[in-house]
Amino acid sequence: MIEEITPIIFWSVQEAEDGKITISTLVPPLIKEKKRVLNLKVSLINEGNKGFNLNYHNELKAGQIRLLLVDEAYAKRGLTRLINTVLTDPNISQRLYLVVTKGDFNEFLAKHLDETDNIDYYIYRMFKHYEKKKQGEITVVNLHQFMKMLYSQVSDPQLPVFRAAGDQFLYEGTAFFDQDTMVAEIRGKDDQINQLLYRDRFVRYLVLPELSVTLGHIRAHTRKKLTPDLSSLSIEIDVKGRINELDSLARIEDNYQFAALSQKIERYLEENVISLLSQMQKLQIDPLQIGALTAKPFSRPITRDTWDRHWSTMKINVKVRLHLEPLTKVK
């Protein structure tokens, strides 16, 4: 029986014309046979699942799907139909990873068809690694986490964004959603700040090119507090780490210069945290789940409209405290 079935590792969904979608997968996974990409233009996800079985000699089992890759154009249309279809299938795990893709993902797969590297499995293992280590290098979100944020009254989902470029699959940043629709993407320093604020993650490197410095082994502890009338938000962030790289022009020769650099980094982080939160306020989205602070025992939960109204005009105060390991050659 095992020889008669083929579990698949991922589905790739792209927008097509006439309101249809193109669904793709790679077969066979994990075995040393010639691989090929299966593509179908369909109206419904399960129509594609059934069509795959008619185009391959073994029965394809969706129960082993670990990745759901969604094209950016499709994500901007809304993911509710797709997510509900996957969620209601009892054979599909809720721990599958959701990813927004750019570029031609099928072309990327075609570059690896003649290789024995099992590229689909390696992409899955990459997400598994970063989720297990709880590192903030890339955003990792599974179906269960996405649904929890999607159906919350006061929060919005976020997903990682990858670009397929030739034979490379490159991390670009994080996509923000308003309900189920992708409305923004952040990269670079904004993505690093988001990683620090989102669930107090560990970040291996925090690169600050404007200050000619790289901080390493960063851990952030964030405390958020709303005023009772929801007019302002106070955020205190304790950042612990060390200086990993320093430009030759930014020399540190004594404790005074060390303290001055620390203060400069603190002000830089405060400004960028406020800038990132201001973007969220303009879009009336809450991917950091700040609205969850309004929940109180024995009181009615706040409605989405009420939270959006307060959140969009809320004053934000940020205080960053930087705790750097001392440099060994500073006297």
Side-chain angles (χ1 to χ4, degrees), residues 82-106:
L82 174 63
I83 294 300
N84 286 341
T85 300
V86 175
L87 189 69
T88 54
D89 190 333
N91 296 316
I92 296 178
S93 169
Q94 290 191 17
R95 294 192 61 81
L96 67 87
Y97 301 113
L98 302 177
V99 186
V100 175
T101 61
K102 292 182 173 182
D104 193 334
F105 186 71
N106 289 338

Side-chain angles (χ1 to χ4, degrees), residues 11-29:
W11 279 341
S12 173
V13 179
Q14 298 179 346
E15 188 178 36
E17 63 273 8
D18 301 327
K20 294 189 176 183
I21 59 175
T22 300
I23 182 170
S24 308
T25 193
L26 184 67
V27 292

